[in-house]
């Protein structure tokens, strides 16, 4: 995956998208790489204060 593609996945993961949604949005990207990016962002977000986390309701 290119660096620009990785940043796009990171941005969407930071916005609160779940892994399955990300995989559906980027079907041409390798699943394992998208999963790695998602898990990395989730670890980063868990390290933040609860008050600093972004919650998104897309209803």
């Amino acid at each position: 995956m290119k660096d620009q593609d990785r940043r796009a996945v990171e941005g969407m993961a930071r916005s609160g998208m779940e892994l399955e949604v990300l995989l559906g949005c980027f079907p041409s990207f390798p699943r394992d790489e998208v999963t790695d990016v998602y898990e990395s962002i989730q670890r980063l977000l868990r390290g933040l204060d609860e008050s600093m986390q972004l919650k998104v309701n897309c209803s």
Side-chain angles (χ1 to χ4, degrees):
M1 184 171 15
K2 294 185 219 176
D3 190 50
Q4 181 178 2
D5 299 334
R6 184 176 198 81
R7 287 193 311 268
V9 173
E10 286 175 355
M12 293 178 87
R14 283 189 182 107
S15 75
M17 283 194 166
E18 296 295 327
L19 177 58
E20 291 305 316
V21 175
L22 284 174
L23 292 170
C25 289
F26 299 105
S28 62
F29 295 171
R31 287 181 69 90
D32 60 332
E33 290 185 38
V34 173
T35 301
D36 289 345
V37 171
Y38 175 81
E39 290 173 350
S40 172
I41 294 301
Q42 291 305 306
R43 282 191 300 275
L44 179 101
L45 291 176
R46 278 192 293 268
L48 295 176
D49 245 356
E50 281 294 319
S51 63
M52 294 176 67
Q53 287 189 16
L54 175 66
K55 302 290 184 187
V56 177
N57 182 354
C58 296
S59 57

PDB file of all heavy atoms in Angstrom, residues 38-56:
ATOM      1  N   TYR A  38      -5.529  -0.179  11.001  1.00  0.00           N
ATOM      2  CA  TYR A  38      -6.657  -0.013  11.917  1.00  0.00           C
ATOM      3  C   TYR A  38      -6.248  -0.326  13.356  1.00  0.00           C
ATOM      4  O   TYR A  38      -6.537   0.443  14.274  1.00  0.00           O
ATOM      5  CB  TYR A  38      -7.812  -0.923  11.487  1.00  0.00           C
ATOM      6  CG  TYR A  38      -8.965  -0.912  12.448  1.00  0.00           C
ATOM      7  CD1 TYR A  38      -9.906   0.110  12.411  1.00  0.00           C
ATOM      8  CD2 TYR A  38      -9.114  -1.908  13.409  1.00  0.00           C
ATOM      9  CE1 TYR A  38     -10.958   0.138  13.314  1.00  0.00           C
ATOM     10  CE2 TYR A  38     -10.166  -1.887  14.306  1.00  0.00           C
ATOM     11  CZ  TYR A  38     -11.088  -0.860  14.245  1.00  0.00           C
ATOM     12  OH  TYR A  38     -12.121  -0.837  15.140  1.00  0.00           O
ATOM     13  N   GLU A  39      -5.579  -1.446  13.550  1.00  0.00           N
ATOM     14  CA  GLU A  39      -5.171  -1.840  14.899  1.00  0.00           C
ATOM     15  C   GLU A  39      -4.173  -0.850  15.498  1.00  0.00           C
ATOM     16  O   GLU A  39      -4.226  -0.554  16.690  1.00  0.00           O
ATOM     17  CB  GLU A  39      -4.613  -3.258  14.893  1.00  0.00           C
ATOM     18  CG  GLU A  39      -5.705  -4.286  14.640  1.00  0.00           C
ATOM     19  CD  GLU A  39      -5.173  -5.690  14.456  1.00  0.00           C
ATOM     20  OE1 GLU A  39      -3.938  -5.884  14.337  1.00  0.00           O
ATOM     21  OE2 GLU A  39      -6.011  -6.611  14.418  1.00  0.00           O
ATOM     22  N   SER A  40      -3.292  -0.319  14.675  1.00  0.00           N
ATOM     23  CA  SER A  40      -2.334   0.685  15.138  1.00  0.00           C
ATOM     24  C   SER A  40      -3.056   1.940  15.622  1.00  0.00           C
ATOM     25  O   SER A  40      -2.740   2.487  16.679  1.00  0.00           O
ATOM     26  CB  SER A  40      -1.367   1.022  14.003  1.00  0.00           C
ATOM     27  OG  SER A  40      -0.554   2.098  14.343  1.00  0.00           O
ATOM     28  N   ILE A  41      -4.043   2.396  14.865  1.00  0.00           N
ATOM     29  CA  ILE A  41      -4.809   3.579  15.239  1.00  0.00           C
ATOM     30  C   ILE A  41      -5.612   3.307  16.508  1.00  0.00           C
ATOM     31  O   ILE A  41      -5.698   4.161  17.397  1.00  0.00           O
ATOM     32  CB  ILE A  41      -5.733   4.028  14.092  1.00  0.00           C
ATOM     33  CG1 ILE A  41      -4.913   4.497  12.893  1.00  0.00           C
ATOM     34  CG2 ILE A  41      -6.707   5.110  14.552  1.00  0.00           C
ATOM     35  CD1 ILE A  41      -3.978   5.655  13.171  1.00  0.00           C
ATOM     36  N   GLN A  42      -6.176   2.119  16.625  1.00  0.00           N
ATOM     37  CA  GLN A  42      -6.957   1.786  17.815  1.00  0.00           C
ATOM     38  C   GLN A  42      -6.076   1.775  19.062  1.00  0.00           C
ATOM     39  O   GLN A  42      -6.489   2.255  20.117  1.00  0.00           O
ATOM     40  CB  GLN A  42      -7.664   0.436  17.650  1.00  0.00           C
ATOM     41  CG  GLN A  42      -8.783   0.466  16.624  1.00  0.00           C
ATOM     42  CD  GLN A  42      -9.798   1.538  16.918  1.00  0.00           C
ATOM     43  OE1 GLN A  42     -10.353   1.604  18.008  1.00  0.00           O
ATOM     44  NE2 GLN A  42     -10.041   2.405  15.959  1.00  0.00           N
ATOM     45  N   ARG A  43      -4.859   1.258  18.951  1.00  0.00           N
ATOM     46  CA  ARG A  43      -3.924   1.281  20.088  1.00  0.00           C
ATOM     47  C   ARG A  43      -3.596   2.721  20.465  1.00  0.00           C
ATOM     48  O   ARG A  43      -3.545   3.073  21.645  1.00  0.00           O
ATOM     49  CB  ARG A  43      -2.645   0.507  19.757  1.00  0.00           C
ATOM     50  CG  ARG A  43      -2.799  -0.993  19.840  1.00  0.00           C
ATOM     51  CD  ARG A  43      -1.460  -1.697  19.766  1.00  0.00           C
ATOM     52  NE  ARG A  43      -0.728  -1.436  18.540  1.00  0.00           N
ATOM     53  CZ  ARG A  43      -0.894  -2.111  17.398  1.00  0.00           C
ATOM     54  NH1 ARG A  43      -1.762  -3.085  17.314  1.00  0.00           N
ATOM     55  NH2 ARG A  43      -0.170  -1.807  16.345  1.00  0.00           N
ATOM     56  N   LEU A  44      -3.382   3.555  19.468  1.00  0.00           N
ATOM     57  CA  LEU A  44      -3.091   4.961  19.712  1.00  0.00           C
ATOM     58  C   LEU A  44      -4.261   5.642  20.412  1.00  0.00           C
ATOM     59  O   LEU A  44      -4.073   6.365  21.388  1.00  0.00           O
ATOM     60  CB  LEU A  44      -2.794   5.669  18.391  1.00  0.00           C
ATOM     61  CG  LEU A  44      -2.501   7.143  18.507  1.00  0.00           C
ATOM     62  CD1 LEU A  44      -0.995   7.364  18.421  1.00  0.00           C
ATOM     63  CD2 LEU A  44      -3.199   7.904  17.425  1.00  0.00           C
ATOM     64  N   LEU A  45      -5.471   5.402  19.940  1.00  0.00           N
ATOM     65  CA  LEU A  45      -6.647   6.034  20.524  1.00  0.00           C
ATOM     66  C   LEU A  45      -6.904   5.549  21.940  1.00  0.00           C
ATOM     67  O   LEU A  45      -7.347   6.329  22.789  1.00  0.00           O
ATOM     68  CB  LEU A  45      -7.887   5.787  19.657  1.00  0.00           C
ATOM     69  CG  LEU A  45      -7.897   6.485  18.297  1.00  0.00           C
ATOM     70  CD1 LEU A  45      -9.127   6.070  17.506  1.00  0.00           C
ATOM     71  CD2 LEU A  45      -7.828   7.986  18.451  1.00  0.00           C
ATOM     72  N   ARG A  46      -6.645   4.295  22.219  1.00  0.00           N
ATOM     73  CA  ARG A  46      -6.838   3.777  23.574  1.00  0.00           C
ATOM     74  C   ARG A  46      -5.873   4.442  24.545  1.00  0.00           C
ATOM     75  O   ARG A  46      -6.169   4.538  25.733  1.00  0.00           O
ATOM     76  CB  ARG A  46      -6.657   2.260  23.598  1.00  0.00           C
ATOM     77  CG  ARG A  46      -7.889   1.516  23.160  1.00  0.00           C
ATOM     78  CD  ARG A  46      -7.765   0.046  23.478  1.00  0.00           C
ATOM     79  NE  ARG A  46      -6.731  -0.617  22.707  1.00  0.00           N
ATOM     80  CZ  ARG A  46      -6.909  -1.229  21.554  1.00  0.00           C
ATOM     81  NH1 ARG A  46      -8.102  -1.264  21.009  1.00  0.00           N
ATOM     82  NH2 ARG A  46      -5.910  -1.812  20.937  1.00  0.00           N
ATOM     83  N   GLY A  47      -4.749   4.910  24.047  1.00  0.00           N
ATOM     84  CA  GLY A  47      -3.770   5.569  24.892  1.00  0.00           C
ATOM     85  C   GLY A  47      -4.149   6.998  25.244  1.00  0.00           C
ATOM     86  O   GLY A  47      -3.584   7.590  26.152  1.00  0.00           O
ATOM     87  N   LEU A  48      -5.112   7.560  24.531  1.00  0.00           N
ATOM     88  CA  LEU A  48      -5.535   8.934  24.804  1.00  0.00           C
ATOM     89  C   LEU A  48      -6.496   8.966  25.978  1.00  0.00           C
ATOM     90  O   LEU A  48      -7.143   7.990  26.320  1.00  0.00           O
ATOM     91  CB  LEU A  48      -6.259   9.517  23.584  1.00  0.00           C
ATOM     92  CG  LEU A  48      -5.430   9.708  22.320  1.00  0.00           C
ATOM     93  CD1 LEU A  48      -6.322  10.206  21.197  1.00  0.00           C
ATOM     94  CD2 LEU A  48      -4.297  10.689  22.552  1.00  0.00           C
ATOM     95  N   ASP A  49      -6.592  10.113  26.575  1.00  0.00           N
ATOM     96  CA  ASP A  49      -7.599  10.352  27.603  1.00  0.00           C
ATOM     97  C   ASP A  49      -8.976  10.163  26.986  1.00  0.00           C
ATOM     98  O   ASP A  49      -9.180  10.517  25.829  1.00  0.00           O
ATOM     99  CB  ASP A  49      -7.509  11.801  28.066  1.00  0.00           C
ATOM    100  CG  ASP A  49      -7.102  11.952  29.500  1.00  0.00           C
ATOM    101  OD1 ASP A  49      -6.951  10.952  30.211  1.00  0.00           O
ATOM    102  OD2 ASP A  49      -6.949  13.104  29.886  1.00  0.00           O
ATOM    103  N   GLU A  50      -9.932   9.657  27.712  1.00  0.00           N
ATOM    104  CA  GLU A  50     -11.302   9.519  27.206  1.00  0.00           C
ATOM    105  C   GLU A  50     -11.841  10.855  26.717  1.00  0.00           C
ATOM    106  O   GLU A  50     -12.574  10.909  25.742  1.00  0.00           O
ATOM    107  CB  GLU A  50     -12.212   8.944  28.288  1.00  0.00           C
ATOM    108  CG  GLU A  50     -12.099   7.459  28.481  1.00  0.00           C
ATOM    109  CD  GLU A  50     -12.577   6.660  27.285  1.00  0.00           C
ATOM    110  OE1 GLU A  50     -13.606   7.021  26.677  1.00  0.00           O
ATOM    111  OE2 GLU A  50     -11.900   5.678  26.952  1.00  0.00           O
ATOM    112  N   SER A  51     -11.483  11.936  27.393  1.00  0.00           N
ATOM    113  CA  SER A  51     -12.001  13.251  27.010  1.00  0.00           C
ATOM    114  C   SER A  51     -11.446  13.727  25.677  1.00  0.00           C
ATOM    115  O   SER A  51     -12.012  14.622  25.061  1.00  0.00           O
ATOM    116  CB  SER A  51     -11.672  14.272  28.092  1.00  0.00           C
ATOM    117  OG  SER A  51     -10.269  14.408  28.217  1.00  0.00           O
ATOM    118  N   MET A  52     -10.351  13.128  25.222  1.00  0.00           N
ATOM    119  CA  MET A  52      -9.727  13.555  23.974  1.00  0.00           C
ATOM    120  C   MET A  52     -10.176  12.722  22.782  1.00  0.00           C
ATOM    121  O   MET A  52      -9.914  13.085  21.649  1.00  0.00           O
ATOM    122  CB  MET A  52      -8.207  13.467  24.097  1.00  0.00           C
ATOM    123  CG  MET A  52      -7.641  14.435  25.110  1.00  0.00           C
ATOM    124  SD  MET A  52      -5.866  14.236  25.309  1.00  0.00           S
ATOM    125  CE  MET A  52      -5.280  14.769  23.710  1.00  0.00           C
ATOM    126  N   GLN A  53     -10.853  11.608  23.013  1.00  0.00           N
ATOM    127  CA  GLN A  53     -11.239  10.734  21.925  1.00  0.00           C
ATOM    128  C   GLN A  53     -12.404  11.318  21.151  1.00  0.00           C
ATOM    129  O   GLN A  53     -13.289  11.943  21.703  1.00  0.00           O
ATOM    130  CB  GLN A  53     -11.610   9.354  22.446  1.00  0.00           C
ATOM    131  CG  GLN A  53     -10.413   8.570  22.888  1.00  0.00           C
ATOM    132  CD  GLN A  53     -10.777   7.138  23.196  1.00  0.00           C
ATOM    133  OE1 GLN A  53     -11.822   6.654  22.817  1.00  0.00           O
ATOM    134  NE2 GLN A  53      -9.899   6.468  23.906  1.00  0.00           N
ATOM    135  N   LEU A  54     -12.404  11.077  19.845  1.00  0.00           N
ATOM    136  CA  LEU A  54     -13.447  11.532  18.958  1.00  0.00           C
ATOM    137  C   LEU A  54     -14.471  10.420  18.806  1.00  0.00           C
ATOM    138  O   LEU A  54     -14.114   9.290  18.503  1.00  0.00           O
ATOM    139  CB  LEU A  54     -12.845  11.878  17.595  1.00  0.00           C
ATOM    140  CG  LEU A  54     -13.816  12.259  16.487  1.00  0.00           C
ATOM    141  CD1 LEU A  54     -14.501  13.575  16.852  1.00  0.00           C
ATOM    142  CD2 LEU A  54     -13.060  12.422  15.183  1.00  0.00           C
ATOM    143  N   LYS A  55     -15.707  10.731  19.057  1.00  0.00           N
ATOM    144  CA  LYS A  55     -16.794   9.779  18.874  1.00  0.00           C
ATOM    145  C   LYS A  55     -17.634  10.268  17.694  1.00  0.00           C
ATOM    146  O   LYS A  55     -17.982  11.437  17.604  1.00  0.00           O
ATOM    147  CB  LYS A  55     -17.685   9.682  20.110  1.00  0.00           C
ATOM    148  CG  LYS A  55     -16.936   9.289  21.365  1.00  0.00           C
ATOM    149  CD  LYS A  55     -16.478   7.868  21.312  1.00  0.00           C
ATOM    150  CE  LYS A  55     -15.828   7.519  22.636  1.00  0.00           C
ATOM    151  NZ  LYS A  55     -15.218   6.258  22.665  1.00  0.00           N
ATOM    152  N   VAL A  56     -17.981   9.355  16.777  1.00  0.00           N
ATOM    153  CA  VAL A  56     -18.723   9.726  15.597  1.00  0.00           C
ATOM    154  C   VAL A  56     -20.011   8.919  15.530  1.00  0.00           C
ATOM    155  O   VAL A  56     -19.989   7.704  15.691  1.00  0.00           O
ATOM    156  CB  VAL A  56     -17.886   9.465  14.330  1.00  0.00           C
ATOM    157  CG1 VAL A  56     -18.691   9.776  13.087  1.00  0.00           C
ATOM    158  CG2 VAL A  56     -16.617  10.285  14.352  1.00  0.00           C
TER     159      VAL A  56
END
